[in-house]
Amino acid sequence: MVQTREPITGKLCLVSGPMIGASGMLGVSMGEMLRVGSLGLIGEVIRINGDTVYAQVFEDTGGMMLGEPVTSLGYPLSVELGPGLLGGVFDGIQRPLEVLRAMSGDFIARGLTAPALDRAKKWGFTPTVKAGQKVVGGDVLGTVQETRAFMHRVLVPPNVSGVIKSVVEAGEYTVEQPVVVLEDGSELAMMQRWPVKRPRPVVRKLPANQPFITGQRVLDCIFPVALGGSAVVPGGFGTGKTVVEQTLSKYCNADIIVYVGCGERGNEMADVLDEFPALTDPKTGDSLMNRTILVVNTSNMPVAAREASVYSGITLAEYYRDQGFSVAIMADSSSRWAEALREISSRLEEMPGEEGYPTYLSARIAEFYERTGRAEVLGTVAEGEEPRQGSMTLVAAVSPAGGDFSEPVTQTSLRVAGGFWGLDASLAYRRHYPAINWSVSYTLYLETLKPWFRDNAPKGWLENRQRAMELLQRDAEMQEIVQLVGPDALQDAERLILETGKMVREVFLQQNAFSDNDAFSSLEKTGGLLETLLEFYDLSKNAIENGVTLNRIMALPVREDIARLRNESNADFAEKRATVCARMRTDVAASATKKG
Amino acid sequence: MTGNNQTPAEAPLRAEYWDLTYISGPLVFLKNGGRFPSGAILELTMANGEIRQGQVLEASTSHAVVQVLQGTQGVDVKGTSVSLKQEAATIGVSTALLGRRFNGTGVPIDGLPPAVVDKEMNINGAPMNPVARNKPNDFIETGVSAIDEFNTLVRGQKLPIFFGSGLPANEVANLIVQQARTRDASEQFVVVFGAMGITEREADYFMRSFDEGGQGGRVVAFINKANDPAIERVFTPRCALTVAEYLAYEMDYQVLVILTDMTSYCEALRQVSSAREEIPGRRGYPGYMYTDLSTIYERAGRIRGRKGSVTQMPMLTMPDDDITHPIPDLTGYITEGQIVLSRSLHRQGVFPPVDIIPCLSRLMNNGIGEGRTRGDHRQVANQLYSAYAQGLDIRKLMTIIGEDALSDMDKKFLKFAIKFERELIGQGWTRRTIDESLDASWKLLSLLPRAELTRIDTKYVDQYYQAEEETAATPVS
């Protein structure tokens, strides 16, 4: 839990943008929270020199005078964990934005504090433990119906254990009311606190052998990532990072989504807040907002709170993982976090590393990514029961300067992430969305996921994936030749590769996130579409070998049917595909009989 | 930062300090950092009686760093005193500012006395609470096909114009100001114009165009010219946006803010940063430039329950036409899309020379479709994009293999691309409603075979597609 110590008060001796210094603070430790100045702005200690501490402040420091009081709170930056987080919208330091709005209006005033969890709200708590029972960290004390479809498990904090002296009756309690008292007298409530920069412990990490299903064909089929894995999505502006993050938030197969809007646009958040409550969670049928937690620190909000926002987000995600759920955390954009680090580092006059970023950038990024994973979580395992498992998947957007992937944030992230979905401006300019460049992207999870796809995905999934990759590779080579000598230099069989490559790109890889029928592609539809395209290729190739010209095949009206197949809904797809495939077989065969 | 210029008789006694120790570039250092709050506005009184203004950037027990708005030429450490003017930089706001012209920090330059103000507001504003934001979805019809049809502007959006030197960006901005309409005519539309480091010629062009177009009385202008003090530019967009926010959120106006040229603003920022000996980022611009720009651009939007809106159209020069230069790059990461002008279209005489390929409006989907523009809008735009991109590829191919080697289909796309640029984009100074733009688009699409229009629903193709005789009878080889 969060250690506490008596507060220490000193005096402000430096104000420089988001950084302050305070003297007379002997005894304060690194990472402690501060209240700065007469307004009581929130800060975090990042350097100590004798009795002077330096801190980053999560609010604008304008108007501060030297000599104003600075008080350390005796505990590090922490988040509140308990029922009431789902559906919530918080800033980088977990202040509930709706409450702040009620306090200060449409613009955020400084020095406001508000607890993340509503202290007055009562939750229906049903105990699952009895007096006399021995509990350890991670054990479930009871359950709370947090949203209509979501059963929250109230956990013993990780480093607490003991014998239960008393348990309350099932009933309505606030998050602070003790629900369990241990023999040693310690009281456990539904709410607990956890310092954001310390990973919550697990028993052990498990291999990533189940896929993170996204409903996006290019991701599920070509570059799948595992549940508990991590993917990095770099792309210049306008390539669709945010659309990818938002689409995954809507359709991925995680139980809980933590969406961290770190240093991005306010209007995008307005969009999410407008859209998500109206959408349905495909798993539960409840509102999508009820499986989502938003941590929002838009670009014009104080820079230091950006760093806090990603840590707050991942700690909330860990808490739900510990309950045994699969959680996806969307970080948009991790570059803004790195830039915040750079800004603070520069104020501290640290010797810069590459492109002005601090030398510890790669260590911070690696620590952060390594908090993800599928894990056996803490808690007593009863006789004959499987240990509880949870997972936390990270999809981190990166905004490289000038769209150049050689910059430090992209490169460092690539070293630790298992999936790389590189967004390409030239694809985006052609309105090829998602603009994931298939020739540079990769996934490291394919081997561990193969057994799952063999058992669960449509037949031929992995083989077709391999064939599609080869076809796209050949397509790219052919295009280079065409650029040099023109299409006439190619044989019909080679031009067929170009034509089929184009169909794979336009029908299979492209997906319209704004179309009701196409936004989410089921595994059956994804597999079926690819199978159809490859069958078309095989039939045509065969026909060409038998002397049919490519022009005749390209003129077949069934091509338009194939192109429109992706606009069929998941439900109608199989039936439509059967019709189109039948027509394709007869038409191609017919073209062969009347040689062209 | 003005409007409260008190005459010496009214001013309370103010403590004056002879604290200067060090002067460098636009900065002066004071030996005691504890006298003034950070961000405070100071008055520097020089030995000859000249008064300049400065802002406290950093305060520590050993010193304070002050940036001097009018520059430090002529300032000395012995004879210059400092005193506190205001705790923070503010500007007086009221509707009486409409039709007025000010310098970059809010001093009237139209020869009229200071405007009567309603109240003083901090020019830095406060971040809008994201949950208070209202989703921007009201279509603004600019009358320009390249914008309305492909990069639709909506109220509360920030959509910059990127251009290279020598391209008619001011004319495009002016075209938009002259023609922009919202669907509800009863609403009041005003322009706040913030100019940083623009030339006399450009300033004159804008002012004259506003007056001639009859917008003069609906414009508040803050003008910092190229030969005005560079540091003032750091304040100009903030003054403009503070007035815009007041007009929008308190007085219910629909405000369009034009900020030009953001490149000059960023250079002023770099000047201050280098004088502070900060570690430079890309091309010498400070590492916090993203954060700084976002505190300007993010001040566009709409608020739940309030009628007004702030729509921003920042304009910036891409040095050497390079869109990856830090200024357009960081801007593009913050704004909701971009309009990019093309040198090659300009050379061909196309006006407005908008290159739609790198353009984008992220909020477009919110503002279009049935009930807002037309049901086929999105799909027609997608189809045109794709066909135009294909046409451009063919044009490139043609330069290698010659026109004769192109297939019939290729030639159709080529013809389409040329007509697309000349007729649809190059509309000149005419105004098109969105329906007129879409109808013109269907005329172009009809140059292509029907089977190629796979991005459009069959029902719209049936409704609008009218094949030309020769196109309908595509020969099958």
Side-chain angles (χ1 to χ4, degrees), chain A residues 106-186:
Chain A
D106 297 328
F107 295 88
I108 301 175
R110 293 187 294 160
L112 298 177
T113 48
L117 298 178
D118 189 345
R119 295 293 191 267
K121 186 173 166 72
K122 291 199 165 182
W123 296 92
F125 174 79
T126 314
T128 51
V129 289
K130 298 186 292 287
Q133 194 175 330
K134 186 174 184 321
V135 289
V136 298
D139 279 350
V140 180
L141 293 176
T143 55
V144 172
Q145 193 73 42
E146 184 171 358
T147 64
R148 197 158 60 78
F150 188 82
M151 189 63 88
H152 189 110
R153 296 169 181 152
V154 177
L155 303 178
V156 179
N159 38 16
V160 173
S161 62
V163 176
I164 294 177
K165 188 172 163 196
S166 65
V167 188
V168 295
E169 296 283 311
E172 304 262 304
Y173 302 93
T174 68
V175 290
E176 283 183 312
Q177 280 177 314
V179 289
V180 166
V181 180
L182 300 181
E183 291 285 2
D184 66 3
S186 50

Side-chain angles (χ1 to χ4, degrees), chain A residues 15 94 97 133-134 198 219-220 231 233 249-250 281 295 329 339 468 494 505 507 527 584 592:
Chain A
V15 184
Q94 215 205 3
L97 287 171
Q133 194 175 330
K134 186 174 184 321
R198 195 180 312 157
L219 303 183
D220 289 347
V233 193
S249 307
K250 288 179 203 165
D281 176 359
V295 179
I329 171 164
E339 283 164 10
E494 290 166 329
R505 284 182 274 128
V507 181
M584 174 172 83

Side-chain angles (χ1 to χ4, degrees), chain A residues 23-34:
Chain A
S23 56
M25 303 287 285
L26 205 60
V28 173
S29 56
M30 284 290 273
E32 265 191 50
M33 287 247 265
L34 302 179

Side-chain angles (χ1 to χ4, degrees), chain B residues 14-314:
Chain B
R14 278 200 303 222
E16 289 191 79
Y17 305 97
W18 276 263
D19 253 2
L20 268 63
T21 56
Y22 177 82
I23 304 174
S24 163
L27 304 180
V28 298
F29 286 60
L30 311 181
K31 64 173 168 267
N32 186 336
R35 297 199 204 280
F36 310 111
S38 68
I41 297 296
L42 307 183
E43 244 172 32
L44 282 80
T45 311
M46 293 160 60
N48 63 3
E50 185 185 338
I51 292 176
R52 293 188 188 175
Q53 287 157 354
Q55 184 176 32
V56 180
L57 294 179
E58 183 180 321
S60 76
T61 39
S62 60
H63 65 273
V65 182
V66 178
Q67 64 177 355
V68 183
L69 272 62
Q70 293 81 10
T72 53
Q73 280 297 321
V75 178
D76 71 319
V77 295
K78 184 162 169 276
T80 307
S81 71
V82 289
S83 59
L84 180 69
K85 188 177 178 216
Q86 283 172 280
E87 300 270 322
T90 61
I91 185 161
V93 292
S94 74
T95 47
L97 301 186
L98 286 168
R100 299 293 309 269
R101 285 166 208 181
F102 304 92
N103 78 357
T105 56
V107 179
I109 51 168
D110 50 7
L112 298 172
V116 178
V117 301
D118 189 19
K119 61 176 174 178
E120 293 282 325
M121 289 174 77
N122 188 319
I123 64 163
N124 289 321
M128 195 189 286
N129 190 327
V131 300
R133 279 185 187 268
N134 200 352
K135 179 176 164 179
N137 55 10
D138 286 328
F139 171 57
I140 298 177
E141 193 176 76
T142 64
V144 180
S145 298
I147 297 176
D148 290 349
E149 193 173 351
F150 302 100
N151 302 287
T152 316
L153 178 67
V154 295
R155 269 188 211 166
Q157 185 173 15
K158 39 196 180 290
L159 190 64
I161 301 179
F162 294 178
F163 55 93
S165 303
L167 295 180
N170 294 339
E171 287 75 8
V172 174
N174 184 29
L175 181 71
I176 293 166
V177 170
Q178 304 295 342
Q179 299 190 345
R181 306 221 175 111
T182 52
R183 289 236 149 163
D184 184 352
S186 70
E187 286 167 327
Q188 302 208 62
F189 170 72
V190 295
V191 176
V192 174
F193 181 71
M196 288 80 72
I198 64 169
T199 59
E200 191 71 48
R201 184 178 45 75
E202 289 170 303
D204 182 58
Y205 171 79
F206 274 111
M207 289 305 124
R208 212 155 25 83
S209 308
F210 292 157
D211 286 341
E212 283 168 10
Q215 276 89 11
R218 297 194 282 136
V219 176
V220 187
F222 293 88
I223 299 174
N224 167 284
K225 289 189 197 136
N227 56 350
D228 287 340
I231 306 306
E232 275 187 16
R233 285 167 206 164
V234 177
F235 293 81
T236 310
R238 299 192 161 83
C239 291
L241 285 163
T242 307
V243 171
E245 282 177 346
Y246 168 81
L247 292 174
Y249 304 136
E250 299 190 28
M251 308 310 292
D252 293 346
Y253 285 97
Q254 310 302 328
V255 186
L256 175 66
V257 181
I258 294 181
L259 299 172
T260 182
D261 178 334
M262 290 306 289
T263 303
S264 308
Y265 169 84
C266 293
E267 281 166 354
L269 205 63
R270 176 167 69 175
Q271 206 180 329
V272 176
S273 169
S274 93
R276 292 180 74 182
E277 298 179 4
E278 290 169 336
I279 296 161
R282 277 206 302 155
R283 302 218 183 176
Y285 291 97
Y288 51 79
M289 195 158 83
Y290 175 86
T291 306
D292 188 277
L293 285 174
S294 72
T295 58
I296 293 174
Y297 298 143
E298 276 291 319
R299 291 173 79 176
R302 300 196 309 162
I303 295 180
R304 284 170 204 266
R306 302 200 196 190
K307 292 201 189 97
S309 63
V310 176
T311 308
Q312 270 190 43
M313 197 163 262

